[in-house]
Amino acid sequence: MTTLSCDCGFKVEEENRYEVEAKMWHHAIHDHADMLKSMTVEQLTQWLMGKDKQIGDSSAIHQEVVFAASPNRIYEALTDAAQFSKVSGGAPTEITPDAGGSFSCFGGMIVGKNIELEPNKRIVQAWRVANWEEGVYSLVKFELGGQGAETRLIFSHTGFPEGQEAHLAPGWHTNYWEPLKKYLA
């Protein structure tokens, strides 16, 4: 059985995956045409990836964001405690910027360990929300690639507790990408 749902409450549940997708597209085109027309390609890409996650692997978040800054500036903003505290609006932040080092941000709401740090290229972390069951960690990976004066950040988040994606996926935009863009401006 395949199920897809729309934020507006529309839901499709069928045995045939393609029939479910066709009904969802029909709904989107007929009931949300203006919204679809107003979306950028990046926003539409994120929406489609979310749809695919509903159908398939619901334990993964994949996001790509372009920043008007160098990979070095983004890397440092994510691995330097003073800078990340500014990104997060002044929330208490502790980051040991070494592989194996721990971090705590948003006043201790997010904690974990840096697994791999490749300056200006990659950050891999064992990451958890403080109220998750003790010992439960997920894996986050930030890949940084320069594109002239910009940087494409390719982000993946896997291994989080079931049912958390609906909260976590938009949280990355609200708590990381949007504030980071403002900080780097």
Side-chain angles (χ1 to χ4, degrees):
M1 184 67 68
T2 300
T3 304
L4 281 178
S5 59
C6 180
D7 290 341
C8 74
F10 178 81
K11 182 177 177 181
V12 181
E13 188 172 88
E14 301 284 344
E15 291 292 330
N16 183 318
R17 169 189 172 153
Y18 300 105
E19 189 173 333
V20 169
E21 286 190 75
K23 287 180 179 180
M24 183 55 73
W25 273 108
H26 185 269
H27 163 74
I29 291 166
H30 290 278
D31 295 340
H32 300 298
D34 290 336
M35 176 200 67
L36 291 170
K37 286 180 198 175
S38 71
M39 292 173 78
T40 66
V41 172
E42 185 177 74
Q43 290 169 324
L44 188 54
T45 300
Q46 294 297 320
W47 180 75
L48 289 170
M49 288 187 323
K51 172 195 64 69
D52 285 346
K53 302 243 182 341
Q54 285 185 37
I55 291 173
D57 180 9
S58 64
S59 64
I61 296 169
H62 177 87
Q63 298 175 349
E64 296 187 23
V65 187
V66 176
F67 294 94
S70 69
N72 180 58
R73 283 202 65 213
I74 295 165
Y75 181 87
E76 288 191 358
L78 293 171
T79 59
D80 178 82
Q83 288 189 53
F84 193 82
S85 180
K86 289 177 185 174
V87 169
S88 65
T93 303
E94 296 175 17
I95 301 173
T96 305
D98 302 310
S102 62
F103 65 88
S104 171
C105 49
F106 303 102
M109 291 301 300
I110 305 299
V111 296
K113 290 205 178 281
N114 293 315
I115 296 171
E116 180 183 350
L117 296 173
E118 186 174 346
N120 312 324
K121 293 185 180 181
R122 181 179 308 110
I123 301 166
V124 181
Q125 298 175 324
W127 188 97
R128 64 178 269 112
V129 177
N131 66 2
W132 287 357
E133 187 176 317
E134 192 65 35
V136 174
Y137 284 84
S138 60
L139 185 70
V140 298
K141 182 167 40 170
F142 307 81
E143 296 277 352
L144 305 170
Q147 301 179 164
E150 298 180 327
T151 298
R152 176 172 297 280
L153 184 148
I154 300 172
F155 172 79
S156 66
H157 187 177
T158 58
F160 46 82
E162 188 175 331
Q164 293 290 308
E165 183 176 7
H167 171 74
L168 292 170
W172 286 102
H173 286 280
T174 304
N175 299 305
Y176 280 76
W177 316 145
E178 292 168 16
L180 188 54
K181 284 183 178 185
K182 287 179 187 171
Y183 174 76
L184 296 168

